[in-house]
Amino acid sequence: MLYQGILLHMAGLTNSQIKGLPLEDAPGLLDSHGPIFLFGSPRSGTTFLSRCVTSAQNVEEFVGILAPARIMHLIAEYRLSGQDASTLMSCLRDVFWQSFLKSRFWKSERLSKILKGKMSPWAIRAPYTLDDALFCYKEPFLCLAANEFAKEFPCALFVHIIRDGRDVAASLVRRYPNALSDEVLQCPELARSKNSEIGSFVELDGWTIPWWVEKGSERKFIGASQYSRCLWLWSTLVRHALALRENVPDDRYLEIRYEDLALNAVHEGERILEFIGKPLSRVFRKQMKRAYGSSVGTHKKLLADGVVSEKEIESFAGRALEQLGYL
């Protein structure tokens, strides 16, 4: 009970506010601290976006390990099969809340932030509190489960970053040579890797076909190049993510273009700060200046070298690229 009282005092809360529960047993309070969810296709700038947002004052950053990509795939599969994912979402709320409390109240967490340069050494003596703190979570594959997150967290804010799918595919192939490669797709053990872009799958003639490949399109997927498969993945993630835009009010959803963030970072950064309700700071401005625009349009070299063709791009992602104004 002493520990409970200390936590309640540090958080500025009373027993009546959480109906007598210990603070660690009140995950519903997470709704008073955002949460903020950052998402977008892999290689669309989510990591830089996360660094920007969490350089704002009193924003606690968490990444994929709390709710890994495989769970996002599972939630989407639940939805498509008509299953209820509410229990799973409640479990994720518990995990998020416990991680948030640990980050705010454990001295070892403060020491870690100081060593990483994310906190001033003087902050070790600062009061332990939840006041004005925001929980921020980054997971690219949250694209697949954004609507379920919006339902479970009714006060949550969503920042969706979109990048030209042609550049996304080029970046995936360059940085992750095994992403949707023939080697991975013909080896169930590799396909089950926690870092796989596949999620669950069905097997067909020695190939693992991701659940997100539409029935009847399996042969097309098998015969596609690695670049085209990555385009397929991007198109799938964008389609799922954009559904959120239609289901939540404007004050809960902010759409950022990677190209705008790379070429005009300070302006886009100010939009983000206004959206999450945080003031501009020196640290935030310094982080935004690290953006660079040389990665915009990288797919053009592949076109020039004949590695991919306009016809191939149109076949695998033309509709999504056109919808977003990239074609």
Side-chain angles (χ1 to χ4, degrees), residues 22-211:
L23 187 57
E24 62 268 28
D25 291 338
L29 291 177
L30 187 62
D31 293 329
S32 300
H33 301 280
I36 304 169
F37 294 112
L38 313 177
F39 62 105
S41 170
R43 307 306 303 164
S44 63
T46 56
T47 298
F48 181 72
L49 176 64
S50 180
R51 289 171 181 168
C52 294
V53 172
T54 54
S55 66
Q57 185 179 8
N58 231 4
V59 177
E60 297 291 340
E61 176 188 25
F62 302 88
V63 294
I65 190 63
L66 302 183
R70 195 186 301 277
I71 289 182
M72 304 303 161
H73 285 280
L74 182 61
I75 292 171
E77 289 184 83
Y78 275 11
R79 180 176 66 253
L80 292 177
S81 64
Q83 298 183 67
D84 183 12
S86 59
T87 300
L88 177 56
M89 292 304 305
S90 295
C91 292
L92 292 181
R93 174 185 283 274
D94 292 342
V95 172
F96 290 164
W97 180 241
Q98 295 301 320
S99 300
F100 187 50
L101 290 183
K102 177 181 176 182
S103 180
R104 298 297 297 182
F105 293 137
W106 286 28
K107 183 176 289 188
S108 59
E109 291 293 312
R110 289 198 175 189
L111 290 172
S112 176
K113 292 173 188 175
I114 291 171
L115 292 174
K116 293 177 181 178
K118 293 185 176 182
M119 181 179 284
S120 165
W122 300 107
I124 196 70
R125 291 189 172 186
Y128 288 74
T129 177
L130 292 177
D131 292 347
D132 198 37
L134 293 177
F135 173 96
C136 180
Y137 193 73
K138 187 268 287 189
E139 168 52 56
F141 281 90
L142 196 142
C143 291
L144 297 170
N147 278 299
E148 283 76 10
F149 274 70
K151 182 178 179 180
E152 173 64 28
F153 301 98
C155 300
L157 303 178
F158 295 86
V159 183
H160 178 202
I161 186 167
I162 298 175
R163 183 184 184 185
D164 187 332
R166 299 167 296 182
D167 287 346
V168 166
S171 182
L172 277 169
V173 172
R174 183 177 68 254
R175 294 294 300 272
Y176 301 104
N178 290 322
L180 301 177
S181 66
D182 286 358
E183 180 183 7
V184 170
L185 292 173
Q186 294 181 82
C187 178
E189 288 74 21
L190 291 176
R192 291 189 182 98
S193 167
K194 69 179 180 64
N195 295 320
S196 170
E197 298 81 12
I198 294 172
S200 63
F201 55 83
V202 295
E203 295 190 47
L204 177 66
D205 297 337
W207 292 80
T208 59
I209 309 298
W211 70 270

Side-chain angles (χ1 to χ4, degrees), residues 121-300:
W122 300 107
I124 196 70
R125 291 189 172 186
Y128 288 74
T129 177
L130 292 177
D131 292 347
D132 198 37
L134 293 177
F135 173 96
C136 180
Y137 193 73
K138 187 268 287 189
E139 168 52 56
F141 281 90
L142 196 142
C143 291
L144 297 170
N147 278 299
E148 283 76 10
F149 274 70
K151 182 178 179 180
E152 173 64 28
F153 301 98
C155 300
L157 303 178
F158 295 86
V159 183
H160 178 202
I161 186 167
I162 298 175
R163 183 184 184 185
D164 187 332
R166 299 167 296 182
D167 287 346
V168 166
S171 182
L172 277 169
V173 172
R174 183 177 68 254
R175 294 294 300 272
Y176 301 104
N178 290 322
L180 301 177
S181 66
D182 286 358
E183 180 183 7
V184 170
L185 292 173
Q186 294 181 82
C187 178
E189 288 74 21
L190 291 176
R192 291 189 182 98
S193 167
K194 69 179 180 64
N195 295 320
S196 170
E197 298 81 12
I198 294 172
S200 63
F201 55 83
V202 295
E203 295 190 47
L204 177 66
D205 297 337
W207 292 80
T208 59
I209 309 298
W211 70 270
W212 40 266
V213 173
E214 300 86 349
K215 288 185 178 180
S217 299
E218 295 89 350
R219 296 293 178 186
K220 180 179 180 181
F221 185 79
I222 290 172
S225 68
Q226 183 186 8
Y227 178 87
S228 292
R229 292 171 189 154
C230 290
L231 265 180
W232 196 319
L233 172 66
W234 171 82
S235 180
T236 299
L237 294 176
V238 164
R239 184 177 72 253
H240 281 270
L242 289 179
L244 177 68
R245 185 170 63 183
E246 309 302 322
N247 293 329
V248 296
D250 292 343
D251 60 357
R252 293 186 60 197
Y253 175 88
L254 177 66
E255 195 169 279
I256 295 291
R257 292 296 177 109
Y258 173 91
E259 295 78 14
D260 294 335
L261 188 62
L263 299 173
N264 196 2
V266 174
H267 176 267
E268 293 303 298
E270 290 175 350
R271 286 182 62 211
I272 295 170
L273 286 178
E274 182 179 3
F275 180 69
I276 65 174
K278 288 292 184 179
L280 183 65
S281 67
R282 180 184 59 82
V283 175
F284 184 88
R285 189 177 288 275
K286 181 179 179 180
Q287 176 62 45
M288 298 308 299
K289 289 181 178 179
R290 295 176 180 173
Y292 58 92
S294 60
S295 55
V296 175
T298 53
H299 73 281
K300 294 178 181 178

